[in-house]
Amino acid sequence: MAVAQTDIETLATADKPRGYWSGVGRRFLKDKVAVAAGCVAGGLILMAIFAPWVAPQDPFDGTMIRRLSPIGTEGYPLGADELGRDMLSRLIYGARLSLFMGVTPVLIAFVIGSAIGIAAGYAGGWVNSITMRVLDVFYAFPSVLLAIAISGALGAGILNGLLSLTVVFIPPIARVAESVTTAVRKLEYIEAARASGASAFTIVRAHVLGNVLGPIFVYATSLISVSMILAAGLSFLGLGVSPPNPEWGLMLNTLRNAIYVQPWLAALPGVMIFLTSISFNMLSDGLRSAMDIKQ
Amino acid sequence: MTQPLVEVSDLTVTFQGTPPVHAVNGVSFTLAQGEVLGILGESGSGKSVTLKTLLRLLPERRTRIGGKVAVEGRDVLALEGRALADHRGGVVSMIFQDPGLALDPVYTIGRQIAETVIRHEGVSRSTAMARALEMLELVRIPSAKRRLSNYPHEMSGGMRQRAMIALALACKPKLLLADEPTTALDATVQIQILLLLRELQREMGMGVIFVTHDIGVAVEVSDKLAVMYAGSFVETGSVAEIIRDARHPYSQGLLAANLVGAEPGALLKAIPGAPPALHAPPVGCAFAPRCELAGPRCGADPLPLWQARGDRWARCVAAAEAAVPSHAEP
Amino acid sequence: MSDAILSAHNLVKHFNAGGWGAARKVVRAVDDVSFDVAPGETLGVVGESGCGKSTTARLLTHLLPSDRGEVRFRGRVAGTEVPLKEFRRHVQMVFQDSYASLNPRMTMLDAVAFGPTVHGVDQPEARRRAGALLERVGLDPARFGPRYPHEISGGQRQRVNIARALAFDPDVIVLDEAVSALDKSVEAQVLNLLTELRRERGLTYIFISHDLNVVRHISDRVMVMYLGEVVEIGPTADLYTAPRHPYTEALLAAMPSLDPDRRTMEAPLQGDPPNPIDPPPGCRFHTRCARAFGPCPGTAPVPALVGRRHLASCHLNTVKEAAE
C-alpha cells in the first residue's frame, strides 16, 4: 500500500549533474575581460620566475655613458635609468620583488585573517563583538599611514616591509571573513547540521569553510593590487626594499628626478604597477561573478 | 454590442536567452467592464507574465511578444511615450504581492498617491492631497489623516497592502491587475484585503484580473476562472463550473491538491512530476507527461476542445471525447 | 504525562529587540508554552506570523536554548538526562526553505550521509544508507545523488531534506512550514510521502503550518498559538467543528470557503496581529476579540479542559457571567 512514488518530478531537470567548480570554470571562461586579465597576471608571474632567462641584460650593470638613454635606444629598447642600467631588464627583474611584496603579505594575512574572522563569526555573541572591536582599532589609521608607521618603527628592509603589510591586511580580511561567516551561520543548513549533533569543529570544517573561503579569497585577491602599491610606496619612501635592488616602487622613486628629462622613461615603473594591479583586480572581479551560483 | 474592456488574442511571450523560455503560448480571452477574472496557476505557468504584458512591464529588449492585446479597443502593444504613461496607472494599474517593493521607501504614503494623481490628472497639489486622503479612507485605513504622513516602513503588512491598493486606484483605473496581492499576508488579514478588493471593485465598476495560485482565494474574488498551465489556458468557466465540474485533468488535480473534499489522513490524488521547462513551445498537450489519461492522441496540434459555451471550455482530448455532459465524474 | 514521546514544559523564550535598562524592548516570542505529543501522533501547530510557532520548533529541537522550561523526550529532560547528541538522533527537523537548508557545495548524497557519519557510521555504509533513503523519498540515487542543490527543483530538495532527517532513524520529526513554499501539486506529493513514511516507520510529526487546510488533513491534534501563547489545543475534528477559543473561531472563519455560493461576507477580525514586543495585558487576544468582557483585559486566562484532550485558554469557558 505504501508504494514508493518514484515517478515524481523526473521531468524537471534533464541535464547531467555538474560539479560546482566546473560550473565556476565554465562561467569564468565565458568572461572575456577576466580571462584576459588572468593571462596578463599569469604572464607577469612567469616573467618574474624566468627573469634571468628573459632579461636581455644584467639589471645591475650600468655605465654613466648610457644614463637616461631614451626609449628605443639600440640594444636598450626601453632605454636606461639614471645609472645607465637597462630599463627593460630592471623592469623584468623588478617584477620578482614587486609581485613578492604584493602577494606574500596578502597570502599570510588571508590565512591569519580568515582564521580570526571565521572563528569570531561562527562563535557569535560577545566573542565576536570583542574580536571585531579590537580589529576596529586598526581601522582608525589609514592603511598607508599604518604601513609606514609599522615599517618606520621596525626599520627598513624587505622582511619588515612584509611584516607591516601583513599587519595592515589582517583586519580587513578578518572583517570580510566575519561577515561572510555570520551570514552563512544563520542559514538553515547550518541549523540542520547542528540538529545532526555534529560538533562546532565538524560543522565549520564540513559546512562553513567551503562556503566562506571562496568569497574571502576573492576579496584577498583584490588586495594584491593594494599591497603592491603600498609596497611600492614604502620603497619610494626608503622603507621596504633598498637600492640597488630592482623594485618598481623604488625605481619610480629614483627616476623621479629624471621626470623633466625623460618623462616617458620615468613613468615606466608606474605603468607596470598599474598594469599588474588592474589585472589582479579584474581577475578577482571575474572570480567573484563566476562564483555566483545563481547565474 | 458593447466593446469588451480587455481583448487578448493568441498572446505569446518568449524571453530570449540561452535557452529561450516560451513563457506564454497562445492565450486568448476577453474581459467585460466590471468583470473579475481569476487566473489560477502554479509558479512558472505564465500567469504573472500575462498580467505584466497588459501593462507592458516586461523588459522590452529581451522579450518577444506576439498576438494582440487591446484594452478599451486600444492596442497596448503599439503604445509609445506619453500614451503608454497614461495607460499605466491611468487606465490600467497593478498591485503586487510585496507592497514593500512597490511603494517607494523614501516618500510618505500621501506624497506617493498625490504624485500619481498630479502626473495623470494635472491637478494642484492640494487637490491631489485631498484625493490621497479620500483614497486612504476608501481603503479603510484607520485615522487616515495621520497615515498620510507615514512612510511605508511605519505601517504593518496589511496596512501597506491597503496603501498600495489606494495608490493603484487613485486615478480610477478601468482595469486593476492583481498579482498574488494576498499571498504574503496572514490568514485573518488576507480575508480583509480580499473583501476590500471585492467591495471596491463593485463600487468602482472596475474590471479586475486576479492572479493567484490559491484556489480558495480565487473563489472568493472571481466571477470567471481560467486555469493556466505551461503558458496556456487549459480550462475556463465560471467559478462554480470549475470548482464543481472541472473537465481538465490538471484542474482536477489542482482541486485535489487543494484538499477539496479530501479525506483526512488519506493519500491525496496527487499529480506526479513537475511542470515542463518551456525551452521550446509545447506541441499538443503540455500536461500529457503528467496525465494519467494521456495517450498518443494527446500530441495532436491543435488539440481538440471540449466546449459548452463561448467561455466554458477545456483544452483536453479526453474531455472532448467524453462529450456527454456528466456531473457525476470527478 | 509519562506516555508522551516528546513534551514541552513551560517553555519561555524572549529575544532582545534593542534598548537598554528601562527602555529595553523584549520580543516575547514564546511565553509559557506546554504541550505533549503521543507516539505515532501528528500534532499540527497553527498561528499567524509572530505567534511563536517557529521559535517553538527550535526550542523543541534544542537549536535555541530556552530561557526557562524544559523539553522531555520519553519523560527524560533533553540536554541533561538525555545527552543532546543522543536527543538529536531521536528528534529531527525539516525547514521551510528547501534551498537554504542544504549546503550549496555538498551533493545530495553527501548531505544525507553527513548525519550518520557524525554518529559514528563509517563513510561507505553512510553513503549506502543515504542512497537507499533517496530512493525511498522518490529520487533515483544514481541520478540525484551527485547533484547540487541548485540543480534540482524545490520539491526534490524538500525530499532530500526529509531523507536527511530520516537518516538518523528518528522517532520525531518537527516540520517547520515544510511544504509551504512548494507549488500545490508538488505539495500534495510531499504530503503523500509524509503520510506513507509515518505509516511505515511509526513516526511522530510536529507539523507547523499557516495553512489550516493542510493541517486539518495531516494532523491528529491541533495546537493554536497567538502571540507566543497556546490558546487552544485539541483533537483535529473537535477543534475544527467546535472551536472553544474566539481566535480559533476567527482563524477558521478567515479560511476561504471554496464555495462560490457561500463566499465569506465579513472579515472575522480587523487589523493586523499586534506586535509581540509589547503584547496586551490580560488575555493577549482581548484587543481584537469581539466577545471580550469583564475579566479579559485584566486577568490572563488559564488553560481549561473543555472536552476530551481538548484545552482552551478563554474566560468564556470558565467565567460564569460570560453565559449572559
Side-chain angles (χ1 to χ4, degrees):
Chain A
M1 102 141 279
V3 191
Q5 283 192 314
T6 37
D7 54 334
I8 301 144
E9 287 192 73
T10 42
L11 309 149
T13 38
D15 47 343
K16 280 205 301 276
R18 285 188 296 245
Y20 169 75
W21 288 110
S22 78
V24 172
R26 200 160 28 81
R27 284 189 294 267
F28 184 80
L29 290 179
K30 263 196 217 156
D31 186 347
K32 297 278 182 303
V33 178
V35 171
C39 289
V40 173
L44 286 166
I45 292 170
L46 287 178
M47 184 179 92
I49 294 171
F50 296 107
W53 291 275
V54 183
Q57 310 267 353
D58 183 341
F60 298 101
D61 177 25
T63 31
M64 284 326 231
I65 300 169
R66 284 199 304 270
R67 67 189 293 260
L68 294 179
S69 309
I71 296 173
T73 307
E74 180 75 42
Y76 299 86
L78 292 181
D81 69 2
E82 78 287 355
L83 295 176
R85 296 170 294 198
D86 177 34
M87 202 57 194
L88 178 62
S89 303
R90 281 187 73 75
L91 286 177
I92 291 171
Y93 270 92
R96 290 186 142 187
L97 265 177
S98 294
L99 282 177
F100 178 74
M101 293 296 283
V103 174
T104 323
V106 172
L107 270 186
I108 303 172
F110 171 67
V111 174
I112 301 173
S114 302
I116 296 174
I118 292 172
Y122 190 75
W126 58 268
V127 176
N128 184 335
S129 305
I130 291 177
T131 317
M132 294 328 283
R133 288 304 83 75
V134 169
L135 289 176
D136 280 351
V137 172
F138 288 88
Y139 272 90
F141 312 98
S143 53
V144 187
L145 278 188
L146 191 63
I148 292 172
I150 299 173
S151 253
L154 296 172
I158 294 179
L159 206 65
N160 289 343
L162 275 186
L163 197 65
S164 66
L165 289 177
T166 308
V167 173
V168 166
F169 290 126
I170 288 175
I173 290 180
R175 162 145 297 196
V176 168
E178 187 266 347
S179 74
V180 181
T181 310
T182 304
V184 165
R185 186 175 65 106
K186 288 184 184 141
L187 291 177
E188 285 168 345
Y189 66 86
I190 300 295
E191 275 196 282
R194 287 174 54 214
S196 74
S199 65
F201 181 74
T202 313
I203 294 174
V204 169
R205 182 180 53 78
H207 294 286
V208 178
L209 278 187
N211 289 296
V212 301
L213 281 185
I216 306 172
F217 183 75
V218 168
Y219 175 71
T221 357
S222 75
L223 289 180
I224 289 178
S225 58
V226 182
S227 177
M228 281 198 43
I229 292 167
L230 283 184
L234 287 182
S235 309
F236 182 88
L237 291 174
L239 303 161
V241 182
S242 48
N245 289 319
E247 199 268 353
W248 295 336
L250 189 62
M251 289 163 71
L252 206 56
N253 183 11
T254 52
L255 278 168
R256 75 176 192 279
N257 292 328
I259 195 128
Y260 301 107
V261 190
Q262 288 291 351
W264 293 112
L265 190 72
L268 278 176
V271 170
M272 292 306 288
I273 293 171
F274 171 76
L275 195 68
T276 318
S277 67
I278 204 167
S279 63
F280 274 104
N281 258 344
M282 287 177 154
L283 182 67
S284 75
D285 273 355
L287 274 180
R288 193 201 324 274
S289 48
M291 283 167 75
D292 187 0
I293 247 170
K294 290 194 182 113
Q295 274 198 345
Chain B
M1 182 69 205
T2 53
Q3 186 185 41
L5 176 62
V6 182
E7 211 173 351
V8 172
S9 57
D10 203 25
L11 175 71
T12 57
V13 178
T14 312
F15 294 113
Q16 285 162 325
T18 44
V21 176
H22 295 259
V24 178
N25 303 295
V27 163
S28 307
F29 66 92
T30 58
L31 184 77
Q33 195 80 251
E35 213 175 15
V36 183
L37 169 69
I39 300 182
L40 195 62
E42 299 184 285
S43 53
S45 63
K47 54 191 195 306
S48 291
V49 175
T50 306
L51 215 54
K52 285 178 181 155
T53 316
L54 285 165
L55 260 187
R56 286 266 302 278
L57 286 178
L58 299 170
E60 305 261 321
R61 275 192 302 156
R62 41 180 293 268
T63 319
R64 245 199 358 258
I65 303 177
K68 233 188 78 198
V69 179
V71 175
E72 288 192 302
R74 257 197 315 273
D75 182 1
V76 174
L77 299 181
L79 291 178
E80 293 288 345
R82 184 71 222 175
L84 182 60
D86 285 343
H87 175 75
R88 289 179 182 156
V91 182
V92 183
S93 67
M94 185 154 174
I95 53 178
F96 301 87
Q97 175 173 342
D98 186 353
L101 297 177
L103 295 170
D104 192 327
V106 302
Y107 293 113
T108 61
I109 296 296
R111 171 115 188 249
Q112 290 187 51
I113 298 176
E115 292 287 346
T116 311
V117 177
I118 292 170
R119 199 169 59 231
H120 283 287
E121 299 179 6
V123 295
S124 74
R125 178 157 291 272
S126 58
T127 321
M129 259 338 221
R131 172 79 70 79
L133 179 63
E134 190 187 311
M135 291 315 296
L136 289 194
E137 278 163 356
L138 186 69
V139 296
R140 318 228 189 333
I141 287 183
S143 44
K145 198 153 202 148
R146 202 161 47 80
R147 290 293 183 181
L148 274 179
S149 53
N150 272 180
Y151 289 92
H153 71 267
E154 295 172 313
M155 305 175 114
S156 64
M159 279 310 148
R160 269 207 295 268
Q161 205 68 19
R162 285 172 193 267
M164 183 164 67
I165 294 172
L167 178 65
L169 300 185
C171 296
K172 312 259 186 288
K174 299 274 174 38
L175 174 65
L176 178 69
L177 307 175
D179 191 359
E180 307 244 16
T182 62
T183 305
L185 301 175
D186 277 320
T188 58
V189 183
Q190 163 169 296
I191 195 74
Q192 297 172 33
I193 301 291
L194 290 178
L195 292 176
L196 175 71
L197 278 174
R198 213 160 74 189
E199 215 170 308
L200 292 175
Q201 182 270 329
R202 209 170 306 142
E203 272 171 32
M204 303 175 69
M206 291 178 294
V208 175
I209 303 180
F210 195 103
V211 154
T212 179
H213 70 281
D214 186 330
I215 291 190
V217 167
V219 170
E220 286 291 349
V221 295
S222 316
D223 304 322
K224 295 196 299 184
L225 269 187
V227 181
M228 198 162 181
Y229 183 78
S232 308
F233 283 4
V234 294
E235 179 164 8
T236 66
S238 74
V239 171
E241 283 164 337
I242 295 214
I243 293 292
R244 302 202 180 113
D245 184 27
R247 295 302 176 102
H248 197 285
Y250 177 66
S251 319
Q252 294 167 359
L254 263 192
L255 284 167
N258 276 271
L259 308 163
V260 179
E263 182 196 335
L267 289 184
L268 299 163
K269 208 170 145 255
I271 310 170
L278 291 176
H279 294 321
V283 178
C285 178
F287 183 63
R290 302 173 74 186
C291 181
E292 54 178 22
L293 304 174
R297 62 206 194 287
C298 294
D301 207 359
L303 278 169
L305 206 64
W306 168 84
Q307 190 163 25
R309 295 188 322 274
D311 57 358
R312 173 65 188 133
W313 52 262
R315 187 168 279 128
C316 174
V317 179
E321 282 172 356
V324 202
S326 139
H327 285 255
E329 211 170 341
Chain C
M1 285 283 268
S2 54
D3 58 340
I5 188 162
L6 192 71
S7 53
H9 300 265
N10 310 94
L11 288 177
V12 175
K13 183 75 191 175
H14 294 176
F15 294 105
N16 256 330
W20 290 93
R24 185 163 165 258
K25 287 189 198 139
V26 169
V27 180
R28 304 160 82 92
V30 171
D31 236 355
D32 199 19
V33 164
S34 303
F35 60 92
D36 50 50
V37 196
E41 184 183 47
T42 298
L43 175 71
V45 181
V46 298
E48 297 176 284
S49 54
C51 75
K53 47 192 200 301
S54 281
T55 308
T56 305
R58 282 165 176 77
L59 293 176
L60 275 182
T61 47
H62 262 269
L63 286 172
L64 271 180
S66 54
D67 296 347
R68 257 181 291 136
E70 58 197 24
V71 175
R72 287 170 179 264
F73 178 73
R74 294 193 198 278
R76 295 187 301 151
V77 179
T80 53
E81 289 167 37
V82 191
L84 264 192
K85 193 161 177 180
E86 191 198 327
F87 174 75
R88 296 201 190 290
R89 236 181 50 226
H90 295 295
V91 180
Q92 272 296 307
M93 181 150 171
V94 176
F95 301 87
Q96 169 169 14
D97 187 338
S98 67
Y99 188 73
S101 49
L102 287 167
N103 184 342
R105 309 275 155 93
M106 224 182 213
T107 64
M108 298 300 93
L109 196 71
D110 289 336
V112 179
F114 178 76
T117 57
V118 166
H119 290 273
V121 178
D122 64 10
Q123 199 54 248
E125 167 63 13
R127 292 173 73 88
R128 194 195 57 73
R129 252 191 237 177
L133 281 169
L134 283 181
E135 178 102 59
R136 177 59 199 92
V137 298
L139 300 172
D140 176 8
R143 274 188 64 209
F144 290 96
R147 279 174 198 260
Y148 288 87
H150 67 278
E151 296 172 320
I152 63 177
S153 72
Q156 291 164 343
R157 280 197 293 267
Q158 209 53 304
R159 286 166 191 277
V160 174
N161 285 320
I162 292 169
R164 176 174 62 189
L166 291 176
F168 299 85
D169 206 3
D171 300 291
V172 182
I173 301 184
V174 179
L175 299 134
D176 184 10
E177 301 270 9
V179 296
S180 308
L182 303 176
D183 268 327
K184 279 287 166 192
S185 67
V186 178
E187 180 187 276
Q189 296 168 13
V190 176
L191 285 177
N192 279 349
L193 175 68
L194 289 172
T195 308
E196 289 170 8
L197 290 171
R198 176 188 173 190
R199 286 182 193 161
E200 261 172 50
R201 297 167 178 245
L203 291 168
T204 304
Y205 290 146
I206 294 170
F207 190 92
I208 296 169
S209 176
H210 65 278
D211 187 331
L212 286 117
N213 264 321
V214 173
V215 167
R216 167 156 60 186
H217 179 75
I218 201 160
S219 314
D220 301 309
R221 277 197 307 149
V222 175
M223 175 164 104
V224 184
M225 291 185 71
Y226 185 77
L227 287 184
E229 295 181 330
V230 177
V231 295
E232 184 167 4
I233 178 168
T236 308
D238 299 354
L239 191 130
Y240 275 76
T241 49
R244 297 298 296 271
H245 194 287
Y247 179 62
T248 316
E249 257 170 49
L251 268 188
L252 293 172
M255 281 167 72
S257 61
L258 277 173
D259 183 346
D261 295 336
R262 279 188 297 148
R263 286 180 174 181
T264 313
M265 293 320 288
E266 201 182 340
L269 292 179
Q270 291 307 320
D272 293 67
N275 199 330
I277 286 182
D278 204 5
C283 171
R284 291 187 179 178
F285 185 59
H286 83 264
T287 50
R288 298 173 84 199
C289 183
R291 289 155 67 190
F293 65 111
C296 297
T299 351
V302 289
L305 206 60
V306 292
R308 212 180 62 81
R309 299 194 76 194
H310 192 165
L311 289 162
S313 302
C314 179
H315 290 306
L316 288 170
N317 298 318
T318 48
V319 178
K320 284 280 181 302
E321 62 177 292
E324 283 122 51

